[in-house]
Amino acid sequence: MKKYIIIALSGFVTLTGCKKFLDIKPQSEITGANFYQLPSDAESGLIGCYDALQPDSYYGFDMETYGDVTSDNAYAGGDNPANIQIDEFTTDPNNPNIARDWNQMYQAIGRTNDVIDNVSAMSDNLFQGDRKAQIIGEAKFLRGLHYFNLVRIFGPVPLIISQLKDTNPNNINAGNSTIDEIYTQIIKDLTDAIASLPKDNNVGRATKGAAEGLLAKVYLTNKDWAKAADLCGQVMALNKYNLVSNYDNLWSGKNTSESLFEVQYTGGKEGNVMPDLFLPYPLATYEFLKFSTPTEDLIAAYEPNDQRKAASIIFANQYYGNNFPHVYKYRNAAGFAAPTNVPVLRFADVLLMRAEALNEISYPNIEALSLLNQIRNRAGLILPKTFIDFPSQDEFRNAIAKERRVELAFEGHRWFDLLRTGKAINTLKDKYPINDNRLLFPFPQNQIDKNPNLIQNTGY
Amino acid sequence: MKKFLTFFISLFLLISYAQGQSAIKISGAVKDNKGLPLPGVTVTIKNSKIGTATDTNGIFSINATKNNILVFSLIGYATKEVAVNNNTIVNVILEEDVSSLDEVVVIGYGSVKRRDLNYATSEVSSKSIEDRPITNLQQAIQGRAAGVTVVQPSGKPGSGLSLRVRGYGSLNGSNDPLYVVDGVQLLSNDGINPNDIENITILKDAAATAIYGANGANGVVLITTKSGQAGKSQISFETYYGFQNLTKKLPVLNAKDFALLINEERTNVGQQPFITDVNNIAYNTNWQNEIYRQGAQQNYQLTASGGSEKYKYYLSGGWNGETGTLAPAKFGRYSIRYNQTSTLFPKLKIGSNISISRINSVDVADNNRVNQGGVVLSALSTPPTIPVQNPDGTYPQNPYQALENPVAITRGADNTSFTNKILGNVFAEYQLPADLKIRSTFGVEANDNRSDSFIDPFTTGNGRALKGFASAGSNNEVIWQNENILSYQHTFNKKHSINAIGGVTFRKSQYTGTYLSGKNFANSAIKTVNGASEKLDASSNNSSWAYLSYLARVIYSYKDKYTATASFRADGSSRFGPNQKYGYFPAASVGWLISEEDFLKNVNWLSSLKLRYGIGSNGNSAGIGDFSYLARYRVGYNYPINNNTQPGTITTSIANNDLKWEVNTTNNLGLDISIFNNRINLSADAYYRKTTNALVNRPLPSQTGYTSITQNVGSLENKGLEFNLNTINYAHKKFNWQTDIVFSLNRNKVLDILGQQIMSGGVGDNGSVTITEQGEPISSFYGYVSEGVDPATGNITYKDLNTDGKITDADRTIIGNPNPKFEGGVTNRFTAFGFDLSFLFQFIYGNDVYNATRIETEGMSGPKNASTAVLNRWTTPGQITDIPRAAFGDPNKNSLRNSTRFIENGSYLKLRDITFGYNLSNVLKNQSVLKSARIYFSGRNLFTVSNYKGYDPEVSRNGGNPFQLGIDYGTYPQVRTLVFGINAKF
């Protein structure tokens, strides 16, 4: 009897617990402790940061909606009430576009924080040459870009510049920061980026010129004319960028000599939805009413012989109208996965920014006029303008604004130009219920619901 | 001398008593209600000690007088009393007893007699499964077990049902109970053929489920499959065939009214109307008629079972098929099962239960609006002004929005899947000396699922844009389990009996998933991914988990009157961090069979009375990821550099080393009472169930860079009452009537959730409609309060709850509760003259449903068709109506806001099942091939009484997701089924 009990129990003892039985590691995911050990980890983390630019909740569609549809360049088009709200200044905090866009921009920021924090902690001698500093520089460029977009669209958003490591409520539920604090950080990030980025880099990556151009735009937005003009000058001094001779080549090709920074798409899994959303059938593979319909106002703004009109807008007979205008800059539709890039910064933009800044510093400025004529000349408007055409600083200012409008139409700039020059309300008040409160979009309701420390923008 | 005198006097008394009436020999036969003889029945004269028993042919004889009453009793059967009167032959039929105290109830790791059962359980026997057109075992349980809610979220063939025991106790998405088949825990319970089930026991309170510890927190469903019986070889064949139809169709506008509507939507906002000539529209397509058809259901099963003392077997094979009412939805299951036990040596028993099944199904897309390809809503939204098919064979889209028509969605895409499932176990049991027994089981569950889809490059707009698309995905999971249990059973001094077990369980899973897709096909000749000239996705991933558990239980019973049990379990899971892997779960219960006490022994009308109390805790670790406690990075976030795709990696979760077991503690007080010779049996339970350290995938604000984190936050409670009443109303050879009633109510409340509000259940563009917050039931509906249509403007007026003069998100409040106030079922069974009739009425009361389908069909904000309710829309100032004005883009947010406008009462009463059959035994009396045969008609969901405006109030778009209960959004409608069947035994 005793014998049997002992046998049974010892059988149990041998069968019972190997501690290792419960020690299971993931096979298709990487654990935090095993990442950021090699330079290839840092590179793939950085690629993840670029990847965040692609979805339609960011440069893949919605940035164009903020930049052009909100302004007098385009109507919402399509059938989505969310876009219509953004067009008509009736955006509700439950609007699904602002919810997904806010989320995507902070996702993007989170990835850059992750790279900046972790790569900085890696040992320098793992990397070749300056690559470690460059990686951090590329990530800082992107972080600057994301916060620049956030602060212009939403205003006093929370400023998060390090990766979240625990669930301390103070860290999760950080409240609003001031607009000044955010701009200070943007300027710091872009300045750091300029210092560590190379002049030339692989196609698609940030470069010194891209960081300088973006920082110039930040200074211009803050009316810091001298610094803006100066940075534009630095971009020009790189002697790397020049205007392409045929405006249409910017759109039939990609990554031209004029491009400072473009969001890359190669089709398939790395595909762009915009051509199918904007182009008329059969250029687009779908027939529905297209988004971002160019306004009559914009169509009339092109001067005769301006080559930019035919390159930017295409008219077609569709079931929803004859001779209906469509955005033409994004081509090569392919089943919602086009290999079409989205420009973020072009050399033409840099030249116009310099002209504008120089004009603000002092009128008349000969270089400003020459830059304006350079842009117009490229567009086929070969008759140069003189100061007789612009007898005052204000008129030159308006001329630059108009030139920016037709040069950069549908590239996501017009609304932000109207905003920073204080012209938004006057330009749009006849058509839409725009007021001071509506110059910023509301914080998404689901974020206010999740973070009790967030204060909604006034008027919503 | 004294002895002799006592004997003489008693004899004298006896003779003189007996001479008062003369005793004669009474004889007769005792049979069961199938006509089979019952040996071993005790036949006694009431109020005396005179008795005998029936022989192997069920015959008895006894001396009795005409005033005597004969009492017939047998374990498992209801005791019957028959007065002798002037009869010399007394033939009796005994009915099976529904709750005899000696009935054996399966509990975890063994079974006990009901008299020793201290737990709250519900049982469903194979009788509830036979002869009904059900495909899933959960359908067998619906409406028959108090406290167990079964929701069939849609009518799709083969759609899984969600089963909840005593409310929602978990916030993390896994509220499913644990399924155990023949002692082996199951991960997925599709592929189980209900016809192979002998009985189902549902363990409801923690004292019972604690022995399962890990993942038994939401109840345990114990399934025992059929086995052979010694000396009783049998072959049986069962089949049924029948039809399915939609319970109702929703009326939508015809072509002309549709044209008037969309024109009005546009002109009301100052835009051009869509249709110029509303009187000359070429087509008037009724889309619901085009996609819904009559479905069919059929089942064929052949079983052979039998055996001897040493070897018992059960072999079955069958096929169950269902063609859905929404083409092309289809479901088919082949299954084979072989169960056997053998006694090899006197002390060694071995056995195996193995089943193999294969399920094929064709799916249709539902639970979404037409923009996302949902067929059900497409049928309601697609304009009637286009034909089904163009002359060139393509399918036209909604011309104003390029959305596919429902026939295009279903015919332009193929979605097929199959699952191979192997479930098996082998066991060996050895009898050791000193009443010890050791049992070792090894079980395997292997699930292999493949889903393919193909969109052809021609018939639909989407297909033409992609030039064809195909995908192939597979999920393969193998789970093995080894369990070793030592058990001890002994009765000391005929008074104290002890039943103890102790053991260890290992369980491990390995999972592999793959996914491939491609587009750009030359034509539709090849539907597999190899025909795609452009490959899109090629991915695979693996994962794994493991559990290691130690368990022990003791059941002590004193004279079968007082019982106490205690159990303890230690569970380790790979899903928790190094310091939190193990959870410890104790339980205890006591029971008192009061009716055995002397002071109640003479109360004749009381057959049994038992009071029981149990308290215990269980853990839950299901519903969270396999590695939630680790900080993780994911790959696949790629980007082209130099026009070449580079690999990208991102961080997706923060480490949480404190992640640990969620704990469920339940207190259960129960009373079981049987009166009038077990003619009326009532079980009542009151319970309080509290979940602490609730595991939640807690949503984080986007600014953190993360979407959520899994944490133990908060606690919630469920408390309620359950009643199970069955009555034998009339028991007679010629006519028999029994009733079963189950009734339960459960109240759910979130006690603490770290002060957060979790909002979920977003539909379309409307944002979240449910909120889970402290002090309220889980998943309460949350939105604006609609005050109806303003007669002056035609817009919905929303209540300004904070009276600040404007309607903002602060004016939202709790507007409904999807949790029911009470629910239950009433089953009646009649047998008469060989006919039998049984029907189940099932009801649920007090729950709200959010009819989000009406947001689409009454939205009047885009070029979509609408329900006929919009014929009453507001058109002129001063008009009083409940439908607002039509307006393109809904600028006044009459439908874009989630509000009380779409909350409806989801209470219903359904005739869930009705079966009418005839036993052919009279016809078969004169032959010996067929032992028994029965034909029957059976119907399911034949009618529903409710005020719900949608297809069916029994609806849930997200199955059992606890944050999204009771939302109807284009969900596949329920169906009504009628079948004819035959069961034959040889």
Side-chain angles (χ1 to χ4, degrees):
Chain A
M1 159 73 171
K2 245 191 186 164
K3 195 168 52 162
Y4 288 110
I5 294 180
I6 290 171
I7 292 175
L9 286 176
S10 53
F12 270 79
V13 165
T14 50
L15 287 170
T16 56
C18 316
K19 275 205 183 124
K20 289 218 174 120
F21 187 71
L22 294 178
D23 230 338
I24 298 189
K25 293 279 181 285
Q27 297 162 46
S28 294
E29 293 172 291
I30 307 171
T31 57
N34 291 341
F35 201 60
Y36 289 116
Q37 306 291 313
L38 298 171
S40 56
D41 294 341
E43 295 288 355
S44 76
L46 181 61
I47 294 290
C49 296
Y50 283 105
D51 172 74
L53 296 166
Q54 287 180 320
D56 45 358
S57 50
Y58 204 7
Y59 281 97
F61 180 25
D62 288 354
M63 281 307 290
E64 196 269 354
T65 308
Y66 292 118
D68 283 283
V69 170
T70 313
S71 74
D72 53 349
N73 271 4
Y75 301 115
D79 66 333
N80 191 339
N83 292 52
I84 295 174
Q85 284 183 6
I86 291 176
D87 183 16
E88 299 183 353
F89 294 94
T90 53
T91 306
D92 179 273
N94 274 313
N95 183 310
N97 278 27
I98 58 168
R100 70 181 190 177
D101 300 339
W102 170 292
N103 185 58
Q104 184 62 26
M105 283 186 255
Y106 272 108
Q107 250 287 305
I109 288 168
R111 295 183 197 179
T112 58
N113 285 341
D114 185 53
V115 167
I116 293 167
D117 287 355
N118 286 304
V119 174
S120 303
M122 288 171 76
S123 158
D124 288 355
N125 50 23
L126 286 169
F127 296 88
Q128 298 220 0
D130 292 327
R131 190 60 196 144
K132 174 175 163 178
Q134 284 179 9
I135 290 175
I136 297 172
E138 292 184 46
K140 284 192 173 173
F141 167 81
L142 290 173
R143 187 164 71 186
L145 176 65
H146 303 322
Y147 273 115
F148 189 41
N149 289 328
L150 273 172
V151 77
R152 290 185 296 171
I153 297 171
F154 295 105
V157 298
L159 183 65
I160 313 287
I161 51 171
S162 61
Q163 187 201 13
L164 185 71
K165 288 233 184 298
D166 57 49
T167 49
N168 183 334
N170 293 335
N171 297 334
I172 297 181
N173 289 335
N176 308 45
S177 297
T178 65
I179 293 185
D180 283 341
E181 285 169 339
I182 298 170
Y183 272 112
T184 305
Q185 181 62 39
I186 294 171
I187 291 169
K188 177 170 188 308
D189 274 340
L190 291 176
T191 310
D192 288 346
I194 291 171
S196 46
L197 283 174
K199 173 178 153 191
D200 295 307
N201 210 337
N202 306 126
V203 174
R205 290 190 189 274
T207 57
K208 191 194 284 291
E212 286 168 342
L214 186 60
L215 186 54
K217 197 182 271 287
V218 173
Y219 282 131
L220 196 68
T221 306
N222 288 338
K223 300 186 168 39
D224 212 330
W225 314 118
K227 294 205 180 113
D230 192 48
L231 276 161
C232 290
Q234 287 183 33
V235 176
M236 293 156 72
L238 290 172
N239 279 330
K240 177 182 154 80
Y241 305 104
N242 42 56
L243 299 177
V244 303
S245 48
N246 185 344
Y247 187 77
D248 195 77
N249 288 346
L250 289 168
W251 315 110
S252 53
K254 45 157 82 170
N255 295 319
T256 61
S257 59
E258 189 173 328
S259 163
L260 266 65
F261 190 68
E262 278 179 17
V263 179
Q264 307 287 311
Y265 295 90
T266 47
K269 292 281 285 174
E270 307 296 321
N272 186 351
V273 303
M274 281 157 86
D276 271 295
L277 292 175
F278 296 157
L279 292 171
Y281 181 80
L283 286 174
T285 35
Y286 299 92
E287 295 180 53
F288 56 80
L289 170 63
K290 296 298 156 39
F291 287 86
S292 188
T293 310
T295 58
E296 316 83 354
D297 191 51
L298 173 64
I299 294 169
Y302 289 96
E303 296 169 31
N305 297 326
D306 189 336
Q307 295 169 356
R308 294 173 293 197
K309 183 173 176 187
S312 313
I313 302 178
I314 184 170
F315 297 87
N317 296 334
Q318 302 280 291
Y319 74 77
Y320 41 84
N322 282 335
N323 216 31
F324 206 86
H326 298 78
V327 172
Y328 192 39
K329 284 188 174 175
Y330 305 98
R331 305 184 191 169
N332 301 319
F336 280 125
T340 312
N341 287 1
V342 177
V344 174
L345 213 50
R346 285 200 280 128
F347 196 51
D349 192 353
V350 172
L351 298 180
L352 285 170
M353 284 199 283
R354 181 158 166 89
E356 181 176 343
L358 290 174
N359 182 53
E360 294 295 338
I361 294 171
S362 79
Y363 169 87
N365 183 303
I366 299 177
E367 188 191 339
L369 182 63
S370 137
L371 290 170
L372 178 64
N373 281 325
Q374 203 181 337
I375 298 289
R376 291 174 57 84
N377 192 305
R378 188 269 293 270
L381 301 169
I382 50 182
L383 199 64
K385 293 281 184 182
T386 67
F387 283 112
I388 301 173
D389 298 298
F390 317 118
S392 71
Q393 187 188 46
D394 199 48
E395 298 207 32
F396 191 82
R397 193 181 281 140
N398 292 341
I400 294 282
K402 179 164 181 275
E403 207 59 41
R404 286 184 66 83
R405 186 185 187 195
V406 295
E407 172 69 31
L408 303 169
F410 315 122
E411 294 173 50
H413 295 290
R414 176 66 174 166
W415 166 248
F416 300 116
D417 286 343
L418 288 175
L419 207 54
R420 65 181 174 79
T421 54
K423 298 220 160 74
I425 295 181
N426 280 338
T427 312
L428 295 159
K429 66 176 192 276
D430 293 330
K431 279 191 133 167
Y432 303 115
I434 184 174
N435 56 42
D436 277 314
N437 289 335
R438 299 262 143 175
L439 295 177
L440 289 176
F441 288 89
F443 286 14
Q445 187 58 47
N446 64 1
Q447 298 300 318
I448 305 267
D449 288 340
K450 284 181 204 174
N451 181 352
N453 293 331
L454 276 185
I455 302 173
Q456 179 62 277
N457 286 334
T458 12
Y460 289 106
Chain B
M1 177 57 185
K2 228 187 185 170
K3 258 197 283 187
F4 192 76
L5 209 62
T6 321
F7 172 76
F8 234 97
I9 291 170
S10 1
L11 189 59
F12 177 74
L13 285 171
L14 191 63
I15 293 171
S16 46
Y17 175 83
Q19 264 178 348
Q21 21 262 332
S22 39
I24 45 174
K25 182 169 142 181
I26 311 292
S27 55
V30 183
K31 296 193 178 155
D32 70 7
N33 62 8
K34 295 190 175 72
L36 297 169
L38 285 173
V41 177
T42 310
V43 187
T44 53
I45 297 180
K46 193 164 177 179
N47 296 328
S48 83
K49 295 199 197 297
I50 301 172
T52 179
T54 56
D55 63 12
T56 48
N57 290 322
I59 310 285
F60 75 93
S61 67
I62 190 170
N63 290 335
T65 72
K66 19 177 202 223
N67 295 339
N68 283 149
I69 297 178
L70 296 177
V71 181
F72 297 81
S73 67
L74 178 66
I75 288 177
Y77 290 84
T79 305
K80 214 168 213 182
E81 297 183 4
V82 181
V84 175
N85 293 335
N86 289 318
N87 300 313
T88 49
I89 308 279
V90 176
N91 290 331
V92 170
I93 292 189
L94 288 186
E95 298 298 330
E96 280 175 29
D97 183 9
V98 276
S99 68
S100 153
L101 288 172
D102 290 307
E103 182 187 353
V104 161
V105 180
V106 175
I107 60 173
Y109 300 101
S111 52
V112 291
K113 287 193 271 197
R114 187 175 294 284
R115 59 173 63 240
D116 293 331
L117 181 66
N118 293 342
Y119 307 143
T121 63
S122 290
E123 292 99 45
V124 176
S125 79
S126 61
K127 282 207 217 4
S128 301
I129 301 172
E130 280 167 5
D131 311 338
R132 288 167 55 199
I134 58 179
T135 45
N136 293 330
L137 61 100
Q138 289 96 338
Q139 289 170 329
I141 300 172
Q142 197 171 30
R144 284 163 206 267
V148 179
T149 307
V150 178
V151 174
Q152 177 145 12
S154 87
K156 205 190 284 196
S159 82
L161 285 82
S162 73
L163 195 149
R164 301 282 164 259
V165 178
R166 296 186 167 176
Y168 283 85
S170 186
L171 297 171
N172 66 3
S174 177
N175 278 280
D176 289 334
L178 182 67
Y179 290 90
V180 178
V181 174
D182 298 327
V184 178
Q185 293 180 35
L186 275 198
L187 189 73
S188 120
N189 57 71
D190 45 278
I192 306 284
N193 181 350
N195 293 305
D196 286 336
I197 297 179
E198 179 64 51
N199 67 34
I200 302 173
T201 304
I202 301 159
L203 304 180
K204 299 186 287 193
D205 72 330
T209 60
I211 197 64
Y212 280 101
N215 308 323
N218 295 314
V220 180
V221 178
L222 295 177
I223 298 162
T224 311
T225 57
K226 291 180 179 164
S227 58
Q229 287 172 296
K232 205 172 160 187
S233 294
Q234 181 169 274
I235 295 182
S236 73
F237 176 69
E238 290 150 25
T239 175
Y240 65 73
Y241 185 87
F243 303 101
Q244 274 185 2
N245 284 299
L246 270 198
T247 47
K248 75 189 209 206
K249 291 195 178 137
L250 296 181
V252 292
L253 301 178
N254 61 30
K256 176 153 179 210
D257 288 329
F258 163 76
L260 290 170
L261 170 70
I262 59 171
N263 284 349
E264 192 177 311
E265 284 177 26
R266 299 277 285 181
T267 52
N268 274 354
V269 295
Q271 305 230 26
Q272 293 301 313
F274 276 118
I275 297 183
T276 40
D277 185 356
V278 305
N279 287 315
N280 274 329
I281 302 176
Y283 302 98
N284 189 7
T285 313
N286 182 329
W287 291 105
Q288 287 178 86
N289 286 349
E290 295 294 332
I291 62 168
Y292 291 114
R293 61 180 178 194
Q294 182 170 70
Q297 205 168 340
Q298 50 188 316
N299 185 67
Y300 306 93
Q301 168 118 337
L302 187 64
T303 61
S305 70
S308 63
E309 280 306 318
K310 290 206 173 163
Y311 170 68
K312 299 184 181 60
Y313 68 93
Y314 172 85
L315 174 66
S316 81
W319 181 65
N320 181 305
E322 192 176 337
T323 313
T325 52
L326 177 53
K330 233 185 345 187
F331 171 85
R333 178 184 62 225
Y334 296 92
S335 51
I336 290 180
R337 172 172 281 277
Y338 180 63
N339 294 349
Q340 62 91 13
T341 53
S342 328
T343 310
L344 281 189
F345 304 110
K347 296 204 173 145
L348 179 65
K349 190 159 94 166
I350 62 171
S352 63
N353 299 304
I354 299 180
S355 84
I356 300 175
S357 60
R358 181 180 168 102
I359 297 172
N360 291 312
S361 66
V362 176
D363 195 18
V364 286
D366 64 340
N367 288 331
N368 240 319
R369 56 182 176 168
V370 58
N371 310 49
Q372 270 78 41
V375 182
V376 175
L377 272 173
S378 174
L380 300 173
S381 308
T382 301
T385 50
I386 56 177
V388 175
Q389 200 168 10
N390 289 327
D392 65 357
T394 60
Y395 292 98
Q397 299 177 320
N398 177 338
Y400 314 104
Q401 254 185 321
L403 298 172
E404 301 291 354
N405 80 51
V407 178
I409 297 177
T410 56
R411 286 198 215 152
D414 291 329
N415 292 308
T416 55
S417 78
F418 71 76
T419 306
N420 291 329
K421 186 185 183 97
I422 298 177
L423 177 64
N425 66 51
V426 295
F427 72 87
E429 201 174 88
Y430 186 73
Q431 197 78 35
L432 296 166
D435 289 323
L436 283 170
K437 194 162 68 169
I438 182 166
R439 180 178 171 122
S440 187
T441 315
F442 183 80
V444 167
E445 178 188 352
N447 295 317
D448 187 13
N449 167 275
R450 242 300 269 281
S451 306
D452 290 351
S453 80
F454 177 69
I455 303 176
D456 83 84
F458 173 69
T459 47
T460 60
N462 195 29
R464 287 191 289 276
L466 294 167
K467 297 205 192 68
F469 172 86
S471 76
S474 77
N475 294 299
N476 176 295
E477 189 159 13
V478 176
I479 306 149
W480 64 262
Q481 176 176 314
N482 167 243
E483 197 157 68
N484 306 298
I485 308 275
L486 185 66
S487 58
Y488 174 76
Q489 181 146 12
H490 193 74
T491 307
F492 300 92
N493 290 344
K494 288 203 188 160
K495 280 196 278 189
H496 310 271
S497 78
I498 294 198
N499 177 328
I501 65 169
V504 61
T505 313
F506 299 84
R507 193 161 145 77
K508 184 157 180 181
S509 142
Q510 177 68 38
Y511 166 85
T512 300
T514 64
Y515 184 73
L516 307 165
S517 71
K519 66 177 197 180
N520 209 330
F521 283 71
N523 50 44
S524 51
I526 297 178
K527 299 188 178 183
T528 45
V529 181
N530 63 327
S533 59
E534 199 180 318
K535 303 292 192 269
L536 290 173
D537 267 299
S539 140
S540 84
N541 69 321
N542 297 345
S543 191
S544 177
W545 49 257
Y547 289 95
L548 173 57
S549 312
Y550 304 91
L551 55 105
R553 177 179 68 197
V554 176
I555 302 178
Y556 167 74
S557 171
Y558 176 72
K559 284 193 183 169
D560 273 347
K561 208 168 26 168
Y562 308 106
T563 345
T565 70
S567 67
F568 185 80
R569 181 150 178 140
D571 282 286
S573 165
S574 64
R575 289 181 174 175
F576 299 116
N579 297 330
Q580 305 290 351
K581 285 204 189 300
Y582 280 90
Y584 303 99
F585 307 104
S589 71
V590 291
W592 178 19
L593 192 55
I594 312 178
S595 50
E596 293 285 303
E597 295 292 349
D598 292 330
F599 56 82
L600 280 184
K601 267 228 179 265
N602 292 322
V603 180
N604 287 335
W605 53 264
L606 182 67
S607 314
S608 77
L609 176 64
K610 177 159 182 166
L611 188 65
R612 45 188 170 76
Y613 174 76
I615 178 171
S617 71
N618 296 102
N620 192 10
S621 66
I624 60 173
D626 291 333
F627 305 106
S628 297
Y629 73 96
L630 288 171
R632 281 163 292 142
Y633 285 81
R634 287 210 182 133
V635 299
Y637 295 86
N638 310 328
Y639 190 76
I641 298 288
N642 284 342
N643 289 309
N644 282 326
T645 307
Q646 302 297 311
T649 309
I650 67 169
T651 168
T652 53
S653 76
I654 317 172
N656 181 1
N657 287 313
D658 293 328
L659 193 66
K660 56 181 181 265
W661 289 91
E662 170 181 293
V663 182
N664 239 276
T665 308
T666 309
N667 280 282
N668 190 85
L669 181 65
L671 185 73
D672 303 311
I673 178 168
S674 293
I675 58 178
F676 301 139
N677 271 331
N678 295 325
R679 289 251 325 232
I680 298 180
N681 307 289
L682 174 68
S683 242
D685 281 86
Y687 62 87
Y688 181 76
R689 174 185 175 196
K690 185 166 174 185
T691 310
T692 50
N693 289 332
L695 285 167
V696 184
N697 287 323
R698 174 188 157 192
L700 292 173
S702 298
Q703 66 201 58
T704 57
Y706 296 98
T707 43
S708 67
I709 183 173
T710 308
Q711 281 185 304
N712 300 82
V713 294
S715 57
L716 56 144
E717 70 176 18
N718 281 286
K719 51 191 180 196
L721 300 170
E722 289 164 4
F723 300 95
N724 191 331
L725 174 70
N726 56 63
T727 58
I728 302 174
N729 303 315
Y730 200 87
H732 187 266
K733 185 167 74 176
K734 292 257 180 359
F735 179 68
N736 199 296
W737 175 21
Q738 286 187 12
T739 305
D740 285 309
I741 301 178
V742 303
F743 181 83
S744 63
L745 48 97
N746 183 70
R747 296 287 175 266
N748 168 290
K749 186 159 79 167
V750 177
L751 296 174
D752 175 25
I753 195 169
L754 278 201
Q756 287 182 88
Q757 299 173 324
I758 297 183
M759 299 205 204
S760 184
V763 286
D765 295 320
N766 278 33
S768 307
V769 73
T770 68
I771 189 171
T772 299
E773 62 178 355
Q774 184 171 336
E776 299 293 338
I778 196 173
S779 193
S780 304
F781 291 122
Y782 188 70
Y784 297 88
V785 178
S786 156
E787 292 184 313
V789 177
D790 180 355
T793 62
N795 291 319
I796 298 277
T797 322
Y798 293 101
K799 201 159 176 195
D800 182 5
L801 292 172
N802 62 357
T803 58
D804 65 347
K806 35 194 176 125
I807 303 296
T808 62
D809 59 285
D811 295 311
R812 294 179 299 174
T813 180
I814 292 194
I815 54 175
N817 184 353
N819 299 290
K821 291 210 171 47
F822 59 79
E823 53 187 302
V826 181
T827 309
N828 280 294
R829 268 185 271 267
F830 301 90
T831 50
F833 307 103
F835 287 96
D836 59 84
L837 173 69
S838 95
F839 51 90
L840 163 64
F841 277 101
Q842 188 230 332
F843 57 90
I844 198 166
Y845 179 81
N847 55 318
D848 293 314
V849 175
Y850 191 67
N851 191 345
T853 301
R854 278 174 50 217
I855 297 176
E856 292 287 307
T857 58
E858 289 175 24
M860 302 177 292
S861 62
K864 290 179 177 165
N865 202 359
S867 90
T868 49
V870 309
L871 292 171
N872 290 331
R873 63 185 178 276
W874 185 97
T875 46
T876 48
Q879 182 178 352
I880 297 186
T881 172
D882 57 346
I883 305 283
R885 66 194 267 268
F888 192 75
D890 196 10
N892 293 92
K893 303 200 181 40
N894 297 328
S895 305
L896 274 179
R897 288 210 170 104
N898 287 321
S899 72
T900 50
R901 183 176 166 208
F902 302 110
I903 297 273
E904 294 188 42
N905 189 337
S907 309
Y908 66 77
L909 171 70
K910 282 192 176 191
L911 177 55
R912 178 65 71 186
D913 284 296
I914 177 166
T915 305
F916 180 63
Y918 180 64
N919 192 322
L920 293 168
S921 48
N922 280 334
V923 173
L924 300 173
K925 263 196 290 216
N926 299 322
Q927 52 81 49
S928 58
V929 174
L930 222 55
K931 280 199 201 132
S932 73
R934 182 163 168 270
I935 56 174
Y936 62 92
F937 283 97
S938 187
R940 202 167 150 71
N941 277 346
L942 291 186
F943 73 77
T944 305
V945 177
S946 95
N947 284 331
Y948 186 64
K949 292 186 197 148
Y951 283 110
D952 195 302
E954 187 180 6
V955 63
S956 183
R957 167 201 192 203
N958 291 85
N961 181 332
F963 293 123
Q964 302 191 25
L965 305 177
I967 300 176
D968 178 357
Y969 193 53
T971 310
Y972 190 123
Q974 303 281 353
V975 298
R976 170 189 300 143
T977 314
L978 194 60
V979 303
F980 170 73
I982 300 174
N983 293 343
K985 293 203 204 310
F986 301 89

